[in-house]
PDB file of all heavy atoms in Angstrom:
ATOM      1  N   THR M 757     -18.669  18.718 -34.669  1.00  0.00           N
ATOM      2  CA  THR M 757     -18.687  18.450 -36.096  1.00  0.00           C
ATOM      3  C   THR M 757     -18.425  19.754 -36.837  1.00  0.00           C
ATOM      4  O   THR M 757     -19.011  20.782 -36.513  1.00  0.00           O
ATOM      5  CB  THR M 757     -20.053  17.906 -36.546  1.00  0.00           C
ATOM      6  OG1 THR M 757     -21.048  18.575 -35.775  1.00  0.00           O
ATOM      7  CG2 THR M 757     -20.149  16.418 -36.360  1.00  0.00           C
ATOM      8  N   GLN M 758     -17.542  19.655 -37.781  1.00  0.00           N
ATOM      9  CA  GLN M 758     -17.186  20.849 -38.525  1.00  0.00           C
ATOM     10  C   GLN M 758     -18.413  21.369 -39.263  1.00  0.00           C
ATOM     11  O   GLN M 758     -19.151  20.610 -39.879  1.00  0.00           O
ATOM     12  CB  GLN M 758     -16.109  20.464 -39.522  1.00  0.00           C
ATOM     13  CG  GLN M 758     -15.322  21.651 -39.994  1.00  0.00           C
ATOM     14  CD  GLN M 758     -14.391  21.223 -41.100  1.00  0.00           C
ATOM     15  OE1 GLN M 758     -14.778  20.530 -42.010  1.00  0.00           O
ATOM     16  NE2 GLN M 758     -13.158  21.613 -41.029  1.00  0.00           N
ATOM     17  N   LYS M 759     -18.637  22.655 -39.169  1.00  0.00           N
ATOM     18  CA  LYS M 759     -19.767  23.236 -39.881  1.00  0.00           C
ATOM     19  C   LYS M 759     -19.400  23.413 -41.350  1.00  0.00           C
ATOM     20  O   LYS M 759     -18.342  23.940 -41.655  1.00  0.00           O
ATOM     21  CB  LYS M 759     -20.120  24.586 -39.263  1.00  0.00           C
ATOM     22  CG  LYS M 759     -21.567  24.623 -38.795  1.00  0.00           C
ATOM     23  CD  LYS M 759     -21.872  25.908 -38.098  1.00  0.00           C
ATOM     24  CE  LYS M 759     -23.342  26.160 -38.091  1.00  0.00           C
ATOM     25  NZ  LYS M 759     -23.709  27.300 -37.274  1.00  0.00           N
TER      26      LYS M 759
ATOM     27  N   PHE J1074     -28.648  18.503 -33.539  1.00  0.00           N
ATOM     28  CA  PHE J1074     -27.340  18.978 -33.075  1.00  0.00           C
ATOM     29  C   PHE J1074     -27.481  19.236 -31.590  1.00  0.00           C
ATOM     30  O   PHE J1074     -27.996  20.276 -31.194  1.00  0.00           O
ATOM     31  CB  PHE J1074     -26.935  20.273 -33.767  1.00  0.00           C
ATOM     32  CG  PHE J1074     -26.609  20.108 -35.212  1.00  0.00           C
ATOM     33  CD1 PHE J1074     -27.389  20.695 -36.193  1.00  0.00           C
ATOM     34  CD2 PHE J1074     -25.509  19.362 -35.601  1.00  0.00           C
ATOM     35  CE1 PHE J1074     -27.089  20.540 -37.525  1.00  0.00           C
ATOM     36  CE2 PHE J1074     -25.200  19.205 -36.938  1.00  0.00           C
ATOM     37  CZ  PHE J1074     -25.991  19.790 -37.901  1.00  0.00           C
ATOM     38  N   LEU J1077     -30.677  20.841 -30.476  1.00  0.00           N
ATOM     39  CA  LEU J1077     -31.344  21.524 -31.580  1.00  0.00           C
ATOM     40  C   LEU J1077     -31.765  20.543 -32.660  1.00  0.00           C
ATOM     41  O   LEU J1077     -30.954  19.753 -33.154  1.00  0.00           O
ATOM     42  CB  LEU J1077     -30.388  22.564 -32.181  1.00  0.00           C
ATOM     43  CG  LEU J1077     -30.898  23.288 -33.406  1.00  0.00           C
ATOM     44  CD1 LEU J1077     -31.767  24.455 -32.999  1.00  0.00           C
ATOM     45  CD2 LEU J1077     -29.741  23.745 -34.265  1.00  0.00           C
ATOM     46  N   ALA J1079     -32.374  20.287 -36.160  1.00  0.00           N
ATOM     47  CA  ALA J1079     -32.166  21.097 -37.356  1.00  0.00           C
ATOM     48  C   ALA J1079     -33.024  20.611 -38.514  1.00  0.00           C
ATOM     49  O   ALA J1079     -33.385  21.386 -39.398  1.00  0.00           O
ATOM     50  CB  ALA J1079     -30.697  21.088 -37.750  1.00  0.00           C
ATOM     51  N   GLY J1097     -36.261  28.746 -47.942  1.00  0.00           N
ATOM     52  CA  GLY J1097     -36.616  28.927 -46.542  1.00  0.00           C
ATOM     53  C   GLY J1097     -35.721  29.974 -45.929  1.00  0.00           C
ATOM     54  O   GLY J1097     -34.643  30.237 -46.449  1.00  0.00           O
ATOM     55  N   PRO J1098     -36.176  30.564 -44.829  1.00  0.00           N
ATOM     56  CA  PRO J1098     -35.375  31.615 -44.200  1.00  0.00           C
ATOM     57  C   PRO J1098     -34.019  31.099 -43.701  1.00  0.00           C
ATOM     58  O   PRO J1098     -33.818  29.888 -43.627  1.00  0.00           O
ATOM     59  CB  PRO J1098     -36.249  32.068 -43.023  1.00  0.00           C
ATOM     60  CG  PRO J1098     -37.443  31.196 -42.984  1.00  0.00           C
ATOM     61  CD  PRO J1098     -37.439  30.303 -44.150  1.00  0.00           C
ATOM     62  N   ASN J1099     -33.128  32.000 -43.332  1.00  0.00           N
ATOM     63  CA  ASN J1099     -31.814  31.610 -42.824  1.00  0.00           C
ATOM     64  C   ASN J1099     -31.964  30.696 -41.618  1.00  0.00           C
ATOM     65  O   ASN J1099     -32.807  30.925 -40.768  1.00  0.00           O
ATOM     66  CB  ASN J1099     -31.004  32.835 -42.400  1.00  0.00           C
ATOM     67  CG  ASN J1099     -30.617  33.682 -43.592  1.00  0.00           C
ATOM     68  OD1 ASN J1099     -31.104  34.769 -43.763  1.00  0.00           O
ATOM     69  ND2 ASN J1099     -29.773  33.142 -44.426  1.00  0.00           N
ATOM     70  N   GLY J1100     -31.150  29.659 -41.590  1.00  0.00           N
ATOM     71  CA  GLY J1100     -31.166  28.763 -40.442  1.00  0.00           C
ATOM     72  C   GLY J1100     -32.300  27.762 -40.481  1.00  0.00           C
ATOM     73  O   GLY J1100     -32.550  27.053 -39.514  1.00  0.00           O
ATOM     74  N   ALA J1101     -33.000  27.660 -41.624  1.00  0.00           N
ATOM     75  CA  ALA J1101     -34.135  26.746 -41.706  1.00  0.00           C
ATOM     76  C   ALA J1101     -33.684  25.291 -41.722  1.00  0.00           C
ATOM     77  O   ALA J1101     -34.465  24.398 -41.394  1.00  0.00           O
ATOM     78  CB  ALA J1101     -34.947  27.051 -42.953  1.00  0.00           C
ATOM     79  N   GLY J1102     -32.428  25.052 -42.123  1.00  0.00           N
ATOM     80  CA  GLY J1102     -31.933  23.681 -42.159  1.00  0.00           C
ATOM     81  C   GLY J1102     -31.681  23.159 -43.555  1.00  0.00           C
ATOM     82  O   GLY J1102     -31.489  21.966 -43.748  1.00  0.00           O
ATOM     83  N   LYS J1103     -31.643  24.086 -44.522  1.00  0.00           N
ATOM     84  CA  LYS J1103     -31.468  23.666 -45.913  1.00  0.00           C
ATOM     85  C   LYS J1103     -30.094  23.031 -46.133  1.00  0.00           C
ATOM     86  O   LYS J1103     -29.975  21.930 -46.685  1.00  0.00           O
ATOM     87  CB  LYS J1103     -31.642  24.871 -46.851  1.00  0.00           C
ATOM     88  CG  LYS J1103     -32.955  25.607 -46.647  1.00  0.00           C
ATOM     89  CD  LYS J1103     -33.073  26.819 -47.532  1.00  0.00           C
ATOM     90  CE  LYS J1103     -32.048  27.903 -47.286  1.00  0.00           C
ATOM     91  NZ  LYS J1103     -32.188  28.657 -46.039  1.00  0.00           N
ATOM     92  N   THR J1104     -29.055  23.746 -45.675  1.00  0.00           N
ATOM     93  CA  THR J1104     -27.708  23.213 -45.856  1.00  0.00           C
ATOM     94  C   THR J1104     -27.542  21.907 -45.082  1.00  0.00           C
ATOM     95  O   THR J1104     -26.908  20.960 -45.569  1.00  0.00           O
ATOM     96  CB  THR J1104     -26.669  24.248 -45.406  1.00  0.00           C
ATOM     97  OG1 THR J1104     -26.860  25.433 -46.170  1.00  0.00           O
ATOM     98  CG2 THR J1104     -25.264  23.733 -45.615  1.00  0.00           C
ATOM     99  N   THR J1105     -28.145  21.848 -43.919  1.00  0.00           N
ATOM    100  CA  THR J1105     -28.078  20.617 -43.135  1.00  0.00           C
ATOM    101  C   THR J1105     -28.696  19.459 -43.914  1.00  0.00           C
ATOM    102  O   THR J1105     -28.183  18.348 -43.899  1.00  0.00           O
ATOM    103  CB  THR J1105     -28.808  20.810 -41.799  1.00  0.00           C
ATOM    104  OG1 THR J1105     -28.266  21.956 -41.151  1.00  0.00           O
ATOM    105  CG2 THR J1105     -28.658  19.606 -40.908  1.00  0.00           C
ATOM    106  N   PHE J1106     -29.773  19.740 -44.607  1.00  0.00           N
ATOM    107  CA  PHE J1106     -30.393  18.715 -45.435  1.00  0.00           C
ATOM    108  C   PHE J1106     -29.399  18.210 -46.489  1.00  0.00           C
ATOM    109  O   PHE J1106     -29.221  17.005 -46.661  1.00  0.00           O
ATOM    110  CB  PHE J1106     -31.646  19.299 -46.110  1.00  0.00           C
ATOM    111  CG  PHE J1106     -32.364  18.330 -46.984  1.00  0.00           C
ATOM    112  CD1 PHE J1106     -33.233  17.404 -46.434  1.00  0.00           C
ATOM    113  CD2 PHE J1106     -32.165  18.325 -48.360  1.00  0.00           C
ATOM    114  CE1 PHE J1106     -33.894  16.489 -47.237  1.00  0.00           C
ATOM    115  CE2 PHE J1106     -32.819  17.406 -49.168  1.00  0.00           C
ATOM    116  CZ  PHE J1106     -33.684  16.496 -48.601  1.00  0.00           C
ATOM    117  N   TYR J1114     -22.980  14.751 -42.833  1.00  0.00           N
ATOM    118  CA  TYR J1114     -23.518  14.462 -41.509  1.00  0.00           C
ATOM    119  C   TYR J1114     -24.272  13.146 -41.576  1.00  0.00           C
ATOM    120  O   TYR J1114     -24.829  12.791 -42.611  1.00  0.00           O
ATOM    121  CB  TYR J1114     -24.525  15.534 -41.057  1.00  0.00           C
ATOM    122  CG  TYR J1114     -23.966  16.905 -40.849  1.00  0.00           C
ATOM    123  CD1 TYR J1114     -24.794  18.017 -40.908  1.00  0.00           C
ATOM    124  CD2 TYR J1114     -22.613  17.097 -40.595  1.00  0.00           C
ATOM    125  CE1 TYR J1114     -24.301  19.285 -40.711  1.00  0.00           C
ATOM    126  CE2 TYR J1114     -22.108  18.376 -40.396  1.00  0.00           C
ATOM    127  CZ  TYR J1114     -22.947  19.469 -40.463  1.00  0.00           C
ATOM    128  OH  TYR J1114     -22.458  20.715 -40.269  1.00  0.00           O
ATOM    129  N   GLN J1151     -22.138  26.173 -49.997  1.00  0.00           N
ATOM    130  CA  GLN J1151     -22.644  27.527 -49.804  1.00  0.00           C
ATOM    131  C   GLN J1151     -21.499  28.537 -49.665  1.00  0.00           C
ATOM    132  O   GLN J1151     -21.471  29.548 -50.340  1.00  0.00           O
ATOM    133  CB  GLN J1151     -23.524  27.558 -48.558  1.00  0.00           C
ATOM    134  CG  GLN J1151     -24.081  28.921 -48.249  1.00  0.00           C
ATOM    135  CD  GLN J1151     -25.092  28.841 -47.104  1.00  0.00           C
ATOM    136  OE1 GLN J1151     -25.404  27.773 -46.593  1.00  0.00           O
ATOM    137  NE2 GLN J1151     -25.604  29.982 -46.713  1.00  0.00           N
ATOM    138  N   GLU J1243     -27.040  27.518 -52.818  1.00  0.00           N
ATOM    139  CA  GLU J1243     -27.026  28.960 -53.082  1.00  0.00           C
ATOM    140  C   GLU J1243     -26.014  29.355 -54.169  1.00  0.00           C
ATOM    141  O   GLU J1243     -25.099  30.116 -53.909  1.00  0.00           O
ATOM    142  CB  GLU J1243     -26.725  29.724 -51.785  1.00  0.00           C
ATOM    143  CG  GLU J1243     -27.752  29.399 -50.724  1.00  0.00           C
ATOM    144  CD  GLU J1243     -27.780  30.404 -49.583  1.00  0.00           C
ATOM    145  OE1 GLU J1243     -27.192  31.488 -49.752  1.00  0.00           O
ATOM    146  OE2 GLU J1243     -28.402  30.098 -48.564  1.00  0.00           O
ATOM    147  N   HIS J1276     -31.844  31.742 -52.365  1.00  0.00           N
ATOM    148  CA  HIS J1276     -32.625  32.814 -51.743  1.00  0.00           C
ATOM    149  C   HIS J1276     -33.202  33.764 -52.794  1.00  0.00           C
ATOM    150  O   HIS J1276     -34.072  34.560 -52.495  1.00  0.00           O
ATOM    151  CB  HIS J1276     -31.754  33.611 -50.768  1.00  0.00           C
ATOM    152  CG  HIS J1276     -31.542  32.903 -49.469  1.00  0.00           C
ATOM    153  ND1 HIS J1276     -32.567  32.609 -48.619  1.00  0.00           N
ATOM    154  CD2 HIS J1276     -30.428  32.409 -48.879  1.00  0.00           C
ATOM    155  CE1 HIS J1276     -32.097  31.973 -47.544  1.00  0.00           C
ATOM    156  NE2 HIS J1276     -30.793  31.836 -47.693  1.00  0.00           N
TER     157      HIS J1276
HETATM  158  N1  ATP Z1856     -22.427  21.426 -37.326  1.00  0.00           N
HETATM  159  C1  ATP Z1856     -23.425  22.040 -36.665  1.00  0.00           C
HETATM  160  N2  ATP Z1856     -23.430  22.036 -35.318  1.00  0.00           N
HETATM  161  C2  ATP Z1856     -24.421  22.646 -34.638  1.00  0.00           C
HETATM  162  N3  ATP Z1856     -25.432  23.284 -35.207  1.00  0.00           N
HETATM  163  C3  ATP Z1856     -25.489  23.335 -36.556  1.00  0.00           C
HETATM  164  C4  ATP Z1856     -24.492  22.710 -37.348  1.00  0.00           C
HETATM  165  N4  ATP Z1856     -24.801  22.924 -38.649  1.00  0.00           N
HETATM  166  C5  ATP Z1856     -25.938  23.627 -38.663  1.00  0.00           C
HETATM  167  N5  ATP Z1856     -26.368  23.884 -37.412  1.00  0.00           N
HETATM  168  C6  ATP Z1856     -27.578  24.600 -37.043  1.00  0.00           C
HETATM  169  O1  ATP Z1856     -28.657  24.050 -37.739  1.00  0.00           O
HETATM  170  C7  ATP Z1856     -29.559  25.052 -38.148  1.00  0.00           C
HETATM  171  C8  ATP Z1856     -29.773  24.988 -39.633  1.00  0.00           C
HETATM  172  O2  ATP Z1856     -28.606  25.449 -40.292  1.00  0.00           O
HETATM  173  P1  ATP Z1856     -28.426  25.415 -41.859  1.00  0.00           P
HETATM  174  O3  ATP Z1856     -27.031  25.827 -42.161  1.00  0.00           O
HETATM  175  O4  ATP Z1856     -28.875  24.131 -42.382  1.00  0.00           O
HETATM  176  O5  ATP Z1856     -29.403  26.567 -42.336  1.00  0.00           O
HETATM  177  P2  ATP Z1856     -29.700  27.086 -43.799  1.00  0.00           P
HETATM  178  O6  ATP Z1856     -31.120  26.862 -44.044  1.00  0.00           O
HETATM  179  O7  ATP Z1856     -28.737  26.531 -44.753  1.00  0.00           O
HETATM  180  O8  ATP Z1856     -29.473  28.634 -43.624  1.00  0.00           O
HETATM  181  P3  ATP Z1856     -28.770  29.683 -44.610  1.00  0.00           P
HETATM  182  O9  ATP Z1856     -29.837  30.187 -45.493  1.00  0.00           O
HETATM  183  O10 ATP Z1856     -28.287  30.745 -43.675  1.00  0.00           O
HETATM  184  O11 ATP Z1856     -27.688  28.980 -45.290  1.00  0.00           O
HETATM  185  C9  ATP Z1856     -28.970  26.371 -37.691  1.00  0.00           C
HETATM  186  O12 ATP Z1856     -29.603  26.732 -36.475  1.00  0.00           O
HETATM  187  C10 ATP Z1856     -27.521  26.046 -37.460  1.00  0.00           C
HETATM  188  O13 ATP Z1856     -26.990  26.855 -36.462  1.00  0.00           O
END
Side-chain angles (χ1 to χ4, degrees):
Chain M
T757 36
Q758 201 187 46
K759 237 176 159 172
Chain J
F1074 290 114
L1077 176 84
N1099 292 111
K1103 306 177 297 289
T1104 302
T1105 306
F1106 180 81
Y1114 295 157
Q1151 179 173 357
E1243 302 197 14
H1276 283 297

